[in-house]
Amino acid sequence: MEERRENEEAYMVNIDELVSQMTLEQKAALCTGASAWTSTPVERLGIPEMVVADGPHGVRRQPDVHEMGAKSLPATAFPTYSCVAATWDVDLTCAMGEVLAEECIALNVDVLLGPGVNMKRSPLNGRNFEYFSEDPFLSGEMAAAIINGIQSKGVGASLKHYAANNQEFQRFSINVEVNERTLREIYLTAFEKAVKQAKPWTVMCSYNKVNGTFASENTRLLTEILKKEWGFEGLVVSDWGAVRDRVAALKGGLDWEMPGPQENRVKAVVEAVRSGTLAEAQLNESVRRILRIVFMARQTPKTGTFDADTHHALAQKIAAEGMVLLKNNGILPLVEPEHIAVIGRAAKEPHFQGGGSSHINPTRVAVPFTELKARAGNAEVTYAEGYPVDNTFSQGLIDGAVTLAISADVAVLYIALPAFKESEGYDRQDMDLTRQQIALIQAVGAVQPNTVVVLNNGAPVAMAAWIGSCAAVLEAYMMGQGGGAAIADVLFGRVNPSGKLAETFPIKLTDTPASINWPGEAGRVRYGEGLFIGYRYYDAKEMPVQFPFGYGLSYTSFAYSNARTSARTFKDIDGLTVSVDITNTGTRAGKEIVQVYVHDQQSSLVRPYKELKGFAKIELQPGETRTVSIPLNFRAFAFYHPEYGQWVTEDGKFDVLIGASSTDIRHSLEVTLQSTLKLPCVLDKESTMNEWMADPRGKFVLGPIYEQIEKQTHRVFGGQDHNGTREDHGDDLGMGNIMNMMSDMPLVSVLTFQKNMLTMPPEEIVDSLLRQAHSLIL
C-alpha cells in the first residue's frame, strides 16, 4: 500500500479516489481493451488510453489501433532472442531494451509486449526463436536485463507467456500436465527472476491450460504465485484471445483482457457483480492495477523521432556478439581469398526474423552478399542461388553451385531454414534442413574443401548428414536487420566471434528429452521428462550431442587458472563468491563467457547433475589476464521441495564447476553448505521409515523404536531367535538388504510385521508418534 501511494503521488493521481468515482460499467469496460491495441479511456475522469504493441525484438506498431495484421510502422528489427541469448551479455541486452523504449516513445507505444521467457523444451517449437534458452537461470537473467532497459526509459514491458507455453500445437487449448517441482524449477524460474529483478509493468498469460485450468483463469498461477508470493504489482493481461470466461478470469487474477472491444464481456462482468457471483472488491483490485500502469505510462510523453542509424548499428553489434562459431578447421577468418563463391538464396534474400506477431517492418536491411562483397577487397565474388524458395528439389541449382564452387578459393553457403518449416503458429515436424539444402552442402563440400556454412534459423538443426562436408559452420540465427553485415565482419575477422549456445544442439530428434511426449494427444501433453530438459537430460543420460549448451569457438584461446571460492564452508543465506583468472593466450583480442555450474553431491530428492547458476562475459587483449568473480546466492544451491512447498537447502558438499561450456569444465571446487532452514515436519501416516529417520523431529521420536526394530530384524533374519537357536529366514537376502527393504516401507506397515513386540495397534503407535513429531520444537 505504501509503495502504491508513492507511485500515485509521483503522477499526482489518487487511484482509490478514481475507482470510487467510476461506475460499475466503466470499471468493467476498463478491464477489457477498447481496440486491438488500446485500453479503454474514461474522459469524464481524465483516464487516458494506453497503447501497446507487439515485440519482443522490435516495435510492431500498427498505424490503425483497430487493425491487427496491417503493415506496421518502420522500426529496428533486432536479432531474435535465440541470437540475443547467445551473447550471454546482460549489459548489451539492457542497451537493446533502452533503444526499444526509445522507438516506443517515438511511435507512441506505452507498453511493449515482450520479452518471452518460455523454456525451449523441444527444438521443434515453432516459436523458439522468440525465446532465450533451455536454461531458466540464463533466460531469467536476460529477460530481467531487457526489461530493465525498456522500463528505464519510462516504457512498460510485458513478460510472456505465463506459463508452460512450450509448443504451438493446440496452443489455444492444450492441457499441460506438469508436476509442481518441475513447474517451479524449470518453467516458472525465469518468470520469477524477471518479476523480482526487473518488476515488469505487465505479465501476459498464455493460451494453454496448466494442470487442467486455463492460464487465463488460473488462480494458483496468477494470484497465489505471481501476485502474492512473488509480489508482482503490475497488471496481468491476456494473450490476444486467451480468455474463455471473463468472470472466471477476473476471479483467477487476470486484470485486462485483450483485444477489444468486447461488449459481451463487459456485460458479463457487470451482471456478475450485480448478481453477487463476482465481488466488486475483486473487480476494483483489477481496476486499480490497470489504472496504476495507465498513469505510469502517461508520465513519459510519446513524441519525437528515433536515431535509425544508431539503432541499426546496435542491431548489427548484437548480431555479431550472438553468432556462434560451431566448427572451424582454420579456414576462418578469411585471409585475402582471390575468389569467393557465395551460394544460397539467403545471401541475397536475408532471413533475419521469424514469422507471426513479432514480424517487424525494418528501417533497412543489410544484405549478406552486398556486405561480404564490400569487405572482400579485390577478390572476385560470384553468386549461385543454390536452393529454391519452396520445398521442391532442383538438381540444376545444385549443379550450378558446384560448378561455381570448383573455381573458387572458398565457398560460403548461406543456408536459411525456410518459413514453411519454422514460424509462430505451427511446430516443426523435424530438425532437418530441406532435402535440397542438405544435398547442396554435401555436393559443394565434395568439390570444395574450403566450404563455410552460415546458418539462419531460430532453433537447432540436425547436422550429422552434412557437417563432415564443410570446413566451418557459423550459426547466425535470425540475426536482425544488421545481421548481414555482422556475418561479413565475423567471416573476415573484423569481429572475433564470442557467442555461445544458449541451447543444446542434439545429434538427432529422437535424442531429445521431450520426443516421446511430443506434442501430446487427446488435448493434453505430459511433461514426462520432468526436470530433465536440455543439458540436464543429456548429462543424466551421458548422451553425446552435436554441440553442448554453452559452447562456442573463438579466433583466440583462453586459459583458466587460480580458481577459488570466498569460503570453503558457508551458510546458505550468506552464499559465496567464485573467482577465476582468465588469460587470453592467443594473438587476437576476444571475449570469453565464463560459466559456473553447481553439482549437489547428495540430496534427498533427485537433482540434475549440474545446473547453471552464474556467468560473466569479459573482453581480453592478447596476453591479458583478468579475474572474474561470480556470486552464488541461496537459490544457487536450493531446490524446490513439493512436500514443504518451498525452496530448500540441505547440509552437505557441493561441487562448484567453472567451465567454458557445460561439457568443458576447467575447474571443480568442493564446498560445504550449512543450511539455516528450520523446516516444518511433513510426516504423515504414509511416510516411510527412511522419511521418518531423515526428518530431525521424526528421528528424535522414532529413534528408540527404530533400534528395537533393528534388533528384532537381526534376531529374525540375521542369526538367532529369542531362544538362541539359529534360524535360516532371510540368510540369502542379508541383514542390510532386509533393512533397506523395510526402510522404504511405510512405518505403519513395518510395525505391522513387528506386532508381536507391540503393546498397541500399529496405527495408534503411528498416530502417537505423529503428534509428538509435529509438536516437537528442536
Side-chain angles (χ1 to χ4, degrees):
M1 289 293 292
E2 289 182 4
E3 184 171 341
R4 190 173 77 198
R5 282 195 292 270
E6 290 173 2
N7 287 329
E8 290 168 10
E9 290 174 6
Y11 40 70
M12 301 181 67
V13 172
N14 187 313
I15 298 295
D16 287 329
E17 185 176 332
L18 268 181
V19 173
S20 69
Q21 295 174 358
M22 295 175 71
T23 66
L24 176 58
E25 289 77 9
Q26 287 171 338
K27 294 175 186 177
L30 183 68
C31 292
T32 301
S35 71
W37 306 105
T38 59
S39 65
T40 301
V42 183
E43 293 183 8
R44 177 179 67 86
L45 297 175
I47 299 172
E49 72 175 6
M50 178 172 64
V51 180
V52 302
D54 273 326
H57 55 271
V59 183
R60 194 173 77 91
R61 173 65 157 95
Q62 296 289 301
D64 183 347
V65 295
H66 296 284
E67 295 288 336
M68 293 186 67
K71 186 176 183 179
S72 59
L73 299 175
T76 306
F78 285 92
T80 65
Y81 283 175
S82 52
C83 182
V84 174
T87 70
W88 295 63
D89 192 326
V90 291
D91 294 332
L92 187 61
T93 303
C94 183
M96 174 178 162
E98 292 172 359
V99 166
L100 285 170
E102 290 174 9
E103 299 196 7
C104 285
I105 291 169
L107 296 172
N108 188 24
V109 172
D110 296 305
V111 175
L112 186 66
L113 302 176
V117 292
N118 296 100
M119 290 296 96
K120 298 186 178 184
R121 177 174 177 251
S122 167
L124 297 184
N125 183 2
R127 210 169 180 179
N128 271 352
F129 64 88
E130 283 193 51
Y131 303 134
F132 290 111
S133 177
E134 68 188 28
D135 182 82
F137 181 88
L138 177 58
S139 294
E141 289 293 310
M142 300 300 280
I146 203 158
I147 293 169
N148 280 326
I150 293 169
Q151 297 188 170
S152 70
K153 299 287 187 176
V155 173
S158 189
L159 184 66
K160 63 183 187 181
H161 305 90
Y162 184 73
N165 175 205
N166 308 104
Q167 61 188 61
E168 293 298 277
F169 175 74
Q170 296 184 356
R171 64 173 173 162
F172 279 84
S173 59
I174 196 82
N175 179 32
V176 173
E177 296 180 353
V178 55
N179 67 60
E180 179 73 5
R181 185 178 172 208
T182 298
L183 185 66
R184 291 286 194 149
E185 292 193 23
I186 302 297
Y187 297 100
L188 295 189
T189 290
F191 286 99
E192 181 185 4
K193 286 179 68 65
V195 166
K196 291 181 175 179
Q197 294 174 209
K199 300 185 184 304
W201 289 11
T202 79
V203 169
M204 183 189 294
C205 81
S206 57
Y207 291 117
N208 51 285
K209 300 186 189 85
V210 180
N211 293 324
T213 303
F214 278 109
S216 62
E217 304 171 10
N218 201 305
T219 304
R220 175 70 173 149
L221 288 174
L222 301 183
T223 299
E224 294 176 9
I225 295 176
L226 176 63
K227 293 181 177 180
K228 293 182 178 179
E229 185 180 323
W230 297 349
F232 174 66
E233 296 179 331
L235 68 86
V236 176
V237 60
S238 71
D239 202 343
W240 269 227
V243 174
R244 298 298 183 86
D245 183 325
R246 187 64 190 102
V247 175
L250 272 168
K251 289 181 177 180
L254 187 128
D255 305 302
W256 189 35
E257 178 186 8
M258 288 296 281
Q262 301 263 8
E263 185 178 351
N264 61 322
R265 306 286 205 183
V266 175
K267 288 182 178 179
V269 172
V270 171
E271 291 171 2
V273 173
R274 286 177 174 162
S275 68
T277 57
L278 174 66
E280 189 166 3
Q282 189 157 25
L283 174 62
N284 288 346
E285 176 59 23
S286 288
V287 170
R288 288 189 193 96
R289 287 176 177 268
I290 295 169
L291 289 177
R292 176 174 174 264
I293 301 304
V294 166
F295 283 102
M296 284 174 65
R298 183 56 46 172
Q299 296 311 296
T300 303
K302 306 304 187 298
T303 60
T305 60
F306 63 87
D307 187 339
D309 292 340
T310 300
H311 293 189
H312 179 82
L314 179 62
Q316 179 180 329
K317 177 178 174 59
I318 295 169
E321 295 268 337
M323 292 180 183
V324 183
L325 184 59
L326 297 176
K327 178 180 179 180
N328 186 22
N329 72 352
I331 185 64
L332 296 180
L334 300 175
V335 180
E336 298 181 354
E338 294 182 3
H339 180 192
I340 305 173
V342 175
I343 299 168
R345 65 184 305 110
K348 290 193 174 182
E349 299 176 15
H351 187 67
F352 60 93
Q353 63 178 327
S357 62
S358 68
H359 194 85
I360 305 301
N361 177 17
T363 58
R364 72 191 68 171
V365 179
V367 177
F369 179 81
T370 303
E371 300 293 341
L372 184 76
K373 193 170 184 179
R375 291 158 178 76
N378 296 323
E380 179 186 6
V381 181
T382 53
Y383 171 77
E385 183 180 346
Y387 56 91
V389 68
D390 57 21
N391 203 26
T392 59
F393 188 87
S394 171
Q395 187 61 46
L397 289 179
I398 294 175
D399 293 342
V402 167
T403 299
L404 193 68
I406 291 173
S407 63
D409 300 315
V410 59
V412 180
L413 277 66
Y414 289 81
I415 306 294
L417 194 65
F420 61 77
K421 284 181 96 41
E422 180 180 36
S423 172
E424 178 185 348
Y426 48 87
D427 292 321
R428 294 162 66 188
Q429 299 302 305
D430 53 55
M431 285 177 51
D432 301 325
L433 300 175
T434 68
R435 176 171 166 247
Q436 173 89 10
Q437 290 170 334
I438 294 171
L440 174 67
I441 298 171
Q442 291 171 335
V444 171
V447 300
Q448 175 51 265
N450 295 328
T451 294
V452 178
V453 173
V454 178
L455 294 171
N456 291 129
N457 48 290
V461 295
M463 302 184 188
W466 55 263
I467 194 167
S469 301
C470 54
V473 179
L474 178 66
E475 175 57 82
Y477 289 110
M478 293 178 180
M479 56 199 179
Q481 67 180 54
I487 290 172
D489 283 342
V490 171
L491 293 180
F492 280 103
R494 294 188 180 186
V495 170
N496 190 345
S498 62
K500 294 197 175 187
L501 295 178
E503 56 195 318
T504 305
F505 276 47
I507 295 173
K508 59 185 185 297
L509 179 60
T510 52
D511 289 344
T512 59
S515 61
I516 62 173
N517 288 300
W518 179 275
E521 58 188 2
R524 63 197 212 15
V525 56
R526 179 174 173 269
Y527 285 22
E529 67 282 357
L531 303 171
F532 296 92
I533 73 166
Y535 69 87
R536 289 164 168 80
Y537 176 79
Y538 301 111
D539 280 352
K541 295 288 289 184
E542 299 182 351
M543 180 182 291
V545 297
Q546 194 73 62
F547 296 108
F549 176 84
Y551 167 88
L553 300 176
S554 171
Y555 295 152
T556 189
S557 55
F558 301 94
Y560 289 54
S561 62
N562 194 24
R564 64 267 189 202
T565 57
S566 56
R568 300 305 296 270
T569 299
F570 66 102
K571 293 181 179 179
D572 52 10
I573 57 174
D574 296 332
L576 55 78
T577 299
V578 184
S579 299
V580 64
D581 295 343
I582 309 296
T583 302
N584 184 341
T585 55
T587 59
R588 289 174 175 264
K591 297 180 180 180
E592 174 66 330
I593 298 164
V594 181
Q595 301 158 45
V596 174
Y597 299 84
V598 170
H599 164 64
D600 191 348
Q601 291 188 10
Q602 185 175 1
S603 59
S604 60
L605 299 184
V606 173
R607 301 188 70 175
Y609 178 77
K610 63 175 178 290
E611 297 178 283
L612 180 74
K613 297 299 178 183
F615 61 89
K617 188 170 188 176
I618 59 166
E619 183 171 12
L620 296 170
Q621 298 299 313
E624 182 182 3
T625 298
R626 284 179 57 189
T627 298
V628 173
S629 294
I630 297 172
L632 299 177
N633 60 16
F634 175 96
R635 283 285 288 271
F637 301 92
F639 61 93
Y640 189 85
H641 201 303
E643 286 193 281
Y644 293 111
Q646 69 181 79
W647 292 86
V648 304
T649 56
E650 296 176 332
D651 292 337
K653 296 184 183 299
F654 289 78
D655 296 315
V656 176
L657 310 173
I658 305 170
S661 81
S662 61
T663 60
D664 184 8
I665 302 301
R666 305 293 180 90
H667 293 279
S668 177
L669 304 172
E670 185 179 272
V671 295
T672 301
L673 179 142
Q674 296 174 339
S675 179
T676 60
L677 293 180
K678 301 297 182 184
L679 295 171
C681 179
V682 293
L683 296 171
D684 58 31
K685 292 181 179 180
E686 296 302 318
S687 295
T688 67
M689 199 156 63
N690 261 342
E691 290 168 338
W692 276 87
M693 296 304 289
D695 184 287
R697 298 171 184 83
K699 184 176 182 178
F700 184 85
V701 300
L702 181 65
I705 298 176
Y706 183 88
E707 292 179 5
Q708 295 179 46
I709 293 172
E710 201 169 32
K711 290 178 181 177
Q712 175 72 358
T713 303
H714 187 271
R715 282 197 299 269
V716 174
F717 293 101
Q720 295 181 338
D721 64 12
H722 59 279
N723 295 318
T725 305
R726 182 167 183 83
E727 296 188 348
D728 295 329
H729 307 304
D731 286 351
D732 293 338
L733 291 175
M735 176 64 185
N737 289 334
I738 291 294
M739 285 304 297
N740 287 339
M741 178 184 72
M742 294 176 65
S743 293
D744 285 331
M745 294 167 56
L747 178 58
V748 67
S749 299
V750 174
L751 293 177
T752 299
F753 287 101
Q754 309 282 332
K755 58 186 177 181
N756 290 338
M757 59 175 275
L758 303 180
T759 58
M760 64 177 70
E763 293 80 7
E764 293 183 19
I765 294 176
V766 171
D767 286 341
S768 174
L769 292 172
L770 284 171
R771 285 193 295 272
Q772 295 176 56
H774 281 272
S775 62
L776 188 63
I777 299 176
L778 294 180

